[in-house]
Amino acid sequence: QESMHAYAANVYTTVIEELMKGKQRKFIAVEQEFFRLWWDMVATDTQKQQVHHLLQEGRLEFVIGGQVMHDEAVTLIDDQILQLTEGHGFLYETFGFRPQFSWHVDPFGASATTPTLFALAGFNAHLISRIDYDLKADMQKNKKLQFVWQGSPSLSARQEIFTHVMDQYSYCTPSQLPFSNRSGFFWNGFATFPDPPKDGVYPNMSLPVTDANLHLYAQTMVANIKERAAWFRTGEVLWPWGCDKQFFNASVQYSNMDLLVDYINKHSAEFGVTVQYATVSEYFQAVYSRNLTWEIRDSQDFLPYSTEPFQAWTGFYTSRSTLKGIARRASSLLYAGESFFTQYVWKHPEGSICKCKALKQLQSLRWAVSEVQHHDGITGTESPKVKDMYMNNLMYGMFNVKKLMASIIFDINNAKKDGEVYSSVYTKGSGKPDVDLYVVVYNPLAWNITTFVTVSVSSEAMSVYDELGYSVPAQVQSSVESPSTYDLYILVAISGLSYRKYSIKPLDGKQSAFIGSSIKYKRRDLTRAGQQSQQLFPVVNSCYQIVFDQNTNLMHSITDRETNQTVQFTQEFLEYHVNGDTKKGPISDNYLFAPNASAVPVSKAVGLEVMSGNLMTEIRQYFYSNVTSQDYIYAVYTRLYSVPEGYDGKLLCRRIEQEYSVGPLELNREAVLRTSTNLNTRQLLYTDNNGYQMQKRPFKAYVNNTVARNYYPMVQTAYIEDDTTRLMLLAERAHGVSSQGNGQVEVMLHRRLWNNLQWDLSNNLTLNDSSVVRPVIWLILGTKAVTNTLYRTSGLALEHRPVVMFGALSGDKPKLPRQLQQNSVHDLPVTVPPNLHLQTLSIPGWRYSSNHTEQVRSIYMGEQKQGDADFSRVLLRIRHLYEVGEDPVLSQPVMVDLKALLKGLGSVMAVEERSLTGTWDVNTLERWKWKTAQYPSKRFFKSTETSEDFIVTVHPKEIRTFFVYFQVQ
């Protein structure tokens, strides 16, 4: 909002005005969030007509067209797709416009997921800028800044995309003038906050172009163009004009630019150059028509990113861990809310909930989750007040979606509208013993799941029953959070996209929940531990035996009971001490990680408590700075689950769940959890790109900053392995991760920093984050074959844990209403095989026509449908989770009968296969085919075939997008 007021609204207002004044002028724009705010709040009818006109002429061009320019390192593929779809839906509905080029100039490093997503969205070319400085210099020298990128090893040539890396000058005009000590080319100066200057005079306005300096200005520009031309294979040079926060006073920009452009073209024989205003598509069209043969780049990404020897941009992988965690919780709640609402609309056409209001509630969270994917959002590289805005928008959207889900349950079950039933939705319940509490648990995944949900209760004596009054396995024990409350773990088994209802009652003499018993061990002094012989004790379930050493209270080893393989296994917290004084050397900040030296162990004493029960054992370790310290500085809660007969406990048994408590840290400390094993990993680490595909990360030695440059983002998955055994880590938020030694993996959990770099201070980017963070990581240890079958489903099970909603029944209503008993037990679940993921099931609400000719015509004739959203179109995405050849069974293509898959929602009447964001019919989408040595003939690229009769075959790593229409009841 401040940016809109200070400059962003003026960008659109003045650029549109200037474009109308000169046919030769062009402009490109990316983020839809700013544009939509301008369109909805600022633009006049005349300006709106002018935008339509300029888009038709191709002089205003939207590139990328998502809500934001998303970060590539720490975002989840689902959220990247969401924010892209959100922006594309608006552009297509409003203008019939479909972006076909990218301009990903500012994210800090480039992921290999992005080229695949942009290809799936129908793009013809991709453009990036921020890659490692030494790699860029090398590519520049050898004219290799342009290539055809096959971002996915499994989709390879089918979803490849031509990629342009910007040269060393990146995306801003170079502002140095050899003939003046004033800057050049930035005639509108720099934006001022919070208000634009009254007199229109901005700071740092560049030297204006005059008759006296016109020739010198032109020489400066031509010299830079020629310098760049030497780095590319074709005679076209992309010369970006602008930078961050520019063009808010477009008249002064264009009037100076016009003079230069005209002068150079009048003297083109002398300069050897002609210049013209262009859009990104014109530039790529020119390069494409040269018909050259391009090198292929494989699926290797461009992470991490360094700008100079001591500037490794690997700190932001962890910065603002709380925001990263909330952003992911919000994303997963949105995922649940979308499918819950879609099912409600189609299964309960007579329902009383206002669909338009419901869609607005979902949209508030779609917008918030989209917005935080910005490369200065979820990255943690914003000032505290902007972080607070992201948080507030996320919390507001989450509140709306929880409210919607509660009211849907309320409505389905025809509960008394004024009664207590379903009257409240919390994330944590707090049942008073005199009131029966019930929980409704929704499984948002399209698989049957067996897992535990946790409810906070006020007494140990509890029983849990399902809809039919049968007793449900549960365990209750004193809470980690506070000694006066208890954690009740309920074992739930729920089919795909279904919910179950459980009532929790104070003990009535019948079977009760197991009560976990506690053993507290003496706090151990680690400095003296080496002098005693080990005293080992095991904690066991049917998959693992975890052994602890009573002398240190630390973990000692883990045995995989299936293979009887034992791995030495220790965990410790360490801190990197970093410098905050620019006079003393490199600094760490929101973006950068610059450790002074190796990480230092933080704790000299460890306390241990073991809570054991029939369903779960929880090992609580408390780390103190010394034996006499009052308060612990770190804690780990390790949970090992046992599943009773009759339940499918494969995933549950196989995961070792760890929750950490970290903080508040001291200033200029970066906290890591280091796990050391005796696996001979040769220091090779694997981490994921955006929860979509894995990257191999061999340890690299550098002259400087080796520790920081070997940090990588883990969005969902990381692992280390030797020839037989793999240790897998699954995360519910992004972290920096590294292997700094053989058999080791360390995860950065938290950072607290302060520095005196002027730029950081003036933008309030010092990351003095005094919070306590509580991330969760699941560990899976086993053979490669076993972990292969588990990690995709487990990662999604962690991402999309069941949504728990609470209500209270007052004591005189022991019986549930009849409909409640009937409901979810007999509903048809929505289920896909374990190598597929139902990525999206939602009602977008777009009013556009699927027929492009019709859509363009209705916009042109001013006949677009206004008013209510369209509830008849359901958006469905299915993703294959495996790579070609990754697993003998799970890597096979899968045939899906869409009619059968969705029969629980109704009778499928029609299916249209669409591009990733829905704006193209795949049968009419023809992407440019760039010539490569692999495919010498240049041809347009057709998408995958769709079959008749609603049966589709989904191949490894494909993401298939459909519009589905049901028979109206």
Side-chain angles (χ1 to χ4, degrees):
Q1 296 296 354
E2 280 184 12
S3 294
M4 283 299 288
H5 173 69
Y7 79 93
N10 290 335
V11 173
Y12 287 109
T13 301
T14 64
V15 164
I16 299 305
E17 186 183 346
E18 291 308 308
L19 290 178
M20 295 307 290
K21 289 180 186 169
K23 277 280 188 210
Q24 77 286 12
R25 296 172 171 181
K26 313 264 171 75
F27 193 77
I28 64 162
V30 176
E31 279 118 338
Q32 290 310 299
E33 179 147 333
F34 280 120
F35 178 75
R36 288 171 81 167
L37 287 169
W38 177 79
W39 184 259
D40 291 339
M41 320 273 213
V42 181
T44 63
D45 286 346
T46 305
Q47 286 166 331
K48 288 184 176 183
Q49 282 169 344
Q50 290 170 339
V51 170
H52 278 284
H53 172 74
L54 290 165
L55 282 168
Q56 276 161 9
E57 284 194 344
R59 296 201 293 117
L60 171 65
E61 179 170 271
F62 289 112
V63 284
I64 307 179
Q67 280 294 91
V68 294
M69 187 188 294
H70 69 254
D71 167 67
E72 300 199 33
V74 298
T75 46
L76 197 60
I77 184 171
D78 310 54
D79 304 328
Q80 297 179 354
I81 294 171
L82 170 77
Q83 74 85 24
L84 207 56
T85 304
E86 191 65 22
H88 284 191
F90 164 76
L91 283 175
Y92 195 52
E93 185 169 85
T94 314
F95 306 111
F97 183 87
R98 303 180 283 198
Q100 288 189 275
F101 299 93
S102 110
W103 183 259
H104 242 219
V105 294
D106 212 17
F108 322 132
S111 158
T113 309
T114 317
T116 302
L117 289 193
F118 286 170
L120 288 166
F123 288 15
N124 289 317
H126 177 37
L127 184 148
I128 60 177
S129 180
R130 292 183 182 267
I131 65 168
D132 234 25
Y133 69 99
D134 40 10
L135 179 61
K136 182 180 274 198
D138 187 58
M139 291 166 76
Q140 191 168 280
K141 192 174 77 212
N142 297 307
K143 293 195 182 189
K144 289 186 189 271
L145 289 168
Q146 294 171 318
F147 46 85
V148 169
W149 195 355
Q150 297 184 347
S152 159
S154 296
L155 300 174
S156 61
R158 283 189 300 142
Q159 301 301 345
E160 68 189 15
I161 193 165
F162 181 80
T163 304
H164 171 105
V165 183
M166 289 191 140
D167 59 46
Q168 67 189 46
Y169 290 104
S170 192
Y171 64 93
C172 294
T173 323
S175 60
Q176 252 184 319
L177 297 176
F179 57 90
S180 167
N181 55 8
R182 281 179 70 179
S183 72
F185 303 103
F186 290 86
W187 298 286
N188 58 195
F190 291 116
T192 60
F193 284 79
D195 300 303
K198 296 269 183 286
D199 57 3
V201 177
Y202 285 84
N204 295 49
M205 291 172 82
S206 286
L207 182 69
V209 177
T210 60
D211 287 348
N213 65 24
L214 182 54
H215 186 73
L216 294 167
Y217 241 123
Q219 276 181 319
T220 305
M221 184 168 165
V222 168
N224 184 264
I225 290 169
K226 287 182 168 172
E227 181 188 7
R228 290 175 170 198
W231 301 329
F232 291 94
R233 290 178 60 199
T234 77
E236 293 79 27
V237 176
L238 185 152
W239 208 74
W241 210 321
C243 193
D244 297 2
K245 304 183 181 68
Q246 286 295 312
F247 281 91
F248 47 83
N249 182 359
S251 68
V252 60
Q253 280 294 101
Y254 280 109
S255 54
N256 281 280
M257 286 155 69
D258 283 350
L259 292 169
L260 268 174
V261 167
D262 293 346
Y263 183 81
I264 292 171
N265 289 338
K266 279 206 182 81
H267 301 86
S268 61
E270 173 194 340
F271 286 126
V273 164
T274 59
V275 290
Q276 65 162 85
Y277 289 108
T279 59
V280 182
S281 65
E282 286 176 286
Y283 170 70
F284 281 124
Q285 182 68 64
V287 176
Y288 183 62
S289 59
R290 294 274 179 161
N291 207 2
L292 298 179
T293 299
W294 299 96
E295 278 189 14
I296 290 174
R297 178 182 178 87
D298 66 10
S299 57
Q300 188 58 47
D301 64 8
F302 292 96
L303 288 164
Y305 160 62
S306 288
T307 34
E308 49 186 74
F310 284 102
Q311 289 188 346
W313 296 51
T314 57
F316 80 92
Y317 301 159
T318 306
S319 297
R320 300 206 190 286
S321 178
T322 302
L323 174 64
K324 286 176 163 64
I326 294 282
R328 287 273 281 274
R329 293 312 307 136
S331 158
S332 107
L333 180 66
L334 175 64
Y335 175 75
E338 295 279 14
S339 65
F340 204 57
F341 175 64
T342 303
Q343 292 187 87
Y344 171 75
V345 168
W346 286 104
K347 288 181 182 177
H348 302 275
E350 72 300 329
S352 66
I353 288 175
C354 166
K355 291 191 294 202
C356 292
K357 183 186 170 198
L359 194 59
K360 283 198 170 65
Q361 289 173 307
L362 285 166
Q363 280 167 340
S364 69
L365 190 53
R366 288 177 192 169
W367 191 292
V369 173
S370 294
E371 154 192 282
V372 78
Q373 307 310 317
H374 187 278
H375 58 273
D376 283 312
I378 195 167
T379 50
T381 55
E382 66 281 276
S383 68
K385 68 178 178 189
V386 178
K387 178 261 299 177
D388 291 341
M389 175 205 74
Y390 285 124
M391 289 287 258
N392 291 339
N393 291 351
L394 289 164
M395 300 306 267
Y396 172 70
M398 288 169 82
F399 173 74
N400 281 333
V401 170
K402 283 177 183 164
K403 214 158 68 174
L404 170 63
M405 291 179 77
S407 57
I408 286 175
I409 286 174
F410 209 86
D411 191 64
I412 290 174
N413 293 301
N414 282 326
K416 286 223 289 288
K417 296 287 182 258
D418 53 357
E420 284 178 288
V421 187
Y422 301 101
S423 57
S424 39
V425 188
Y426 329 98
T427 37
K428 279 259 190 259
S430 50
K432 295 182 248 4
D434 56 322
V435 174
D436 285 356
L437 181 74
Y438 62 75
V439 292
V440 173
V441 184
Y442 177 62
N443 166 25
L445 290 166
W447 303 313
N448 301 339
I449 58 157
T450 303
T451 190
F452 282 95
V453 295
T454 318
V455 179
S456 181
V457 292
S458 54
S459 111
E460 275 189 333
M462 288 283 162
S463 305
V464 183
Y465 301 97
D466 67 11
E467 303 91 340
L468 302 173
Y470 293 120
S471 178
V472 174
Q475 180 171 323
V476 66
Q477 59 200 37
S478 66
S479 170
V480 163
E481 301 283 339
S482 76
S484 60
T485 61
Y486 296 89
D487 290 333
L488 175 64
Y489 287 83
I490 305 170
L491 183 64
V492 298
I494 312 178
S495 45
L497 268 59
S498 303
Y499 70 86
R500 298 281 308 268
K501 177 169 182 297
Y502 301 91
S503 52
I504 300 168
K505 302 183 178 182
L507 206 51
D508 49 10
K510 293 209 263 318
Q511 185 185 351
S512 69
F514 299 118
I515 295 178
S517 57
S518 152
I519 303 173
K520 282 197 169 78
Y521 292 85
K522 212 174 114 207
R523 195 186 294 187
R524 294 298 183 177
D525 185 342
L526 296 181
T527 55
R528 315 239 315 274
Q531 299 152 22
Q532 299 139 334
S533 61
Q534 294 178 327
Q535 278 186 288
L536 305 178
F537 73 91
V539 174
V540 184
N541 73 356
S542 46
C543 296
Y544 299 113
Q545 171 176 286
I546 305 181
V547 172
F548 287 82
D549 182 353
Q550 259 173 268
N551 277 331
T552 58
N553 287 340
L554 295 175
M555 212 181 274
H556 169 270
S557 65
I558 301 180
T559 303
D560 173 0
R561 295 184 62 187
E562 191 179 336
T563 58
N564 229 1
Q565 174 94 13
T566 299
V567 175
Q568 302 300 311
F569 197 99
T570 56
Q571 290 184 311
E572 60 178 336
F573 288 104
L574 301 102
E575 285 174 356
Y576 287 100
H577 292 215
V578 295
N579 166 46
D581 184 354
T582 50
K583 293 190 191 69
K584 294 195 176 134
I587 53 141
S588 265
D589 64 9
N590 298 51
Y591 309 89
L592 309 176
F593 172 40
N596 284 345
S598 300
V600 182
V602 283
S603 108
K604 294 198 167 58
V606 183
L608 179 69
E609 181 182 5
V610 178
M611 302 291 303
S612 45
N614 299 29
L615 299 177
M616 180 189 77
T617 305
E618 180 175 68
I619 300 104
R620 302 173 178 178
Q621 291 166 291
Y622 300 99
F623 295 77
Y624 300 87
S625 44
N626 58 55
V627 171
T628 55
S629 308
Q630 203 48 54
D631 297 319
Y632 61 86
I633 39 176
Y634 291 89
V636 184
Y637 309 105
T638 303
R639 302 182 188 110
L640 202 58
Y641 297 103
S642 299
V643 185
E645 286 287 305
Y647 285 87
D648 172 15
K650 191 177 67 184
L651 286 184
L652 202 49
C653 169
R654 267 283 173 191
R655 69 175 176 244
I656 300 168
E657 179 172 297
Q658 292 199 314
E659 183 180 352
Y660 312 101
S661 171
V662 182
L665 300 178
E666 288 175 47
L667 216 46
N668 287 331
R669 297 284 188 273
E670 318 220 9
V672 301
L673 174 78
R674 183 177 290 166
T675 300
S676 305
T677 70
N678 62 344
L679 298 175
N680 180 21
T681 62
R682 302 175 184 79
Q683 236 174 313
L684 177 61
L685 173 70
Y686 294 81
T687 70
D688 66 330
N689 272 162
N690 317 104
Y692 178 64
Q693 61 191 29
M694 298 305 294
Q695 291 277 352
K696 204 172 185 168
R697 310 293 193 188
F699 189 85
K700 296 177 183 158
Y702 295 96
V703 179
N704 299 308
N705 218 16
T706 292
V707 170
R709 288 186 81 172
N710 279 283
Y711 256 81
Y712 295 92
M714 160 169 78
V715 177
Q716 207 170 43
T717 315
Y719 64 85
I720 54 173
E721 63 184 18
D722 65 8
D723 298 336
T724 59
T725 308
R726 180 182 288 170
L727 170 67
M728 206 106 206
L729 282 66
L730 301 170
E732 39 73 81
R733 71 187 71 179
H735 300 279
V737 61
S738 184
S739 178
Q740 298 284 339
N742 190 22
Q744 275 182 9
V745 57
E746 65 181 55
V747 180
M748 191 180 287
L749 298 174
H750 202 12
R751 324 176 69 215
R752 184 180 181 186
L753 310 169
W754 190 88
N755 68 71
N756 57 9
L757 181 70
Q758 197 44 57
W759 193 86
D760 281 345
L761 290 175
S762 52
N763 289 285
N764 199 0
L765 282 175
T766 52
L767 203 66
N768 188 355
D769 180 351
S770 58
S771 64
V772 176
V773 296
R774 304 204 55 154
V776 171
I777 287 180
W778 288 359
L779 306 173
I780 301 176
L781 182 74
T783 60
K784 292 182 190 181
V786 167
T787 53
N788 240 354
T789 59
L790 295 174
Y791 82 102
R792 301 275 183 194
T793 35
S794 296
L796 284 157
L798 174 56
E799 189 66 38
H800 298 297
R801 286 164 286 185
V803 177
V804 181
M805 292 166 281
F806 300 87
L809 292 170
S810 39
D812 60 321
K813 294 200 287 279
K815 267 299 186 218
L816 308 174
R818 289 294 318 163
Q819 306 94 305
L820 264 180
Q821 304 187 8
Q822 295 315 310
N823 185 264
S824 51
V825 187
H826 302 299
D827 261 356
L828 287 171
V830 178
T831 318
V832 296
N835 51 353
L836 295 188
H837 171 45
L838 189 75
Q839 172 122 4
T840 309
L841 181 66
S842 75
I843 294 178
W846 304 312
R847 296 185 298 264
Y848 62 69
S849 165
S850 313
N851 178 318
H852 183 62
T853 318
E854 215 170 276
Q855 172 64 5
V856 171
R857 194 193 66 88
S858 70
I859 288 170
Y860 194 69
M861 307 295 286
E863 293 167 6
Q864 304 117 284
K865 288 186 284 225
Q866 291 308 317
D868 283 356
D870 176 2
F871 290 93
S872 66
R873 174 187 288 148
V874 170
L875 175 66
L876 169 73
R877 286 194 192 93
I878 296 176
R879 163 155 69 110
H880 197 302
L881 294 171
Y882 282 81
E883 298 283 359
V884 169
E886 187 179 355
D887 183 272
V889 177
L890 297 167
S891 292
Q892 297 301 319
V894 185
M895 280 175 78
V896 180
D897 181 338
L898 297 179
K899 205 163 182 155
L901 175 68
L902 299 171
K903 67 173 182 282
L905 277 74
S907 173
V908 174
M909 295 305 289
V911 173
E912 301 164 353
E913 182 158 9
R914 307 291 291 184
S915 60
L916 182 70
T917 58
T919 53
W920 293 87
D921 171 345
V922 290
N923 299 308
T924 61
L925 173 58
E926 297 197 324
R927 294 199 307 118
W928 296 355
K929 179 68 188 154
W930 297 74
K931 255 174 41 174
T932 59
Q934 196 178 344
Y935 293 102
S937 69
K938 190 170 82 171
R939 55 187 165 74
F940 283 116
F941 213 81
K942 269 293 206 220
S943 311
T944 39
E945 78 305 325
T946 5
S947 84
E948 300 305 299
D949 63 22
F950 307 130
I951 292 174
V952 292
T953 302
V954 187
H955 292 271
K957 288 326 261 192
E958 281 188 337
I959 302 172
R960 304 284 288 276
T961 304
F962 305 94
F963 289 165
V964 180
Y965 302 90
F966 293 95
Q967 186 171 357
V968 178
Q969 295 173 27

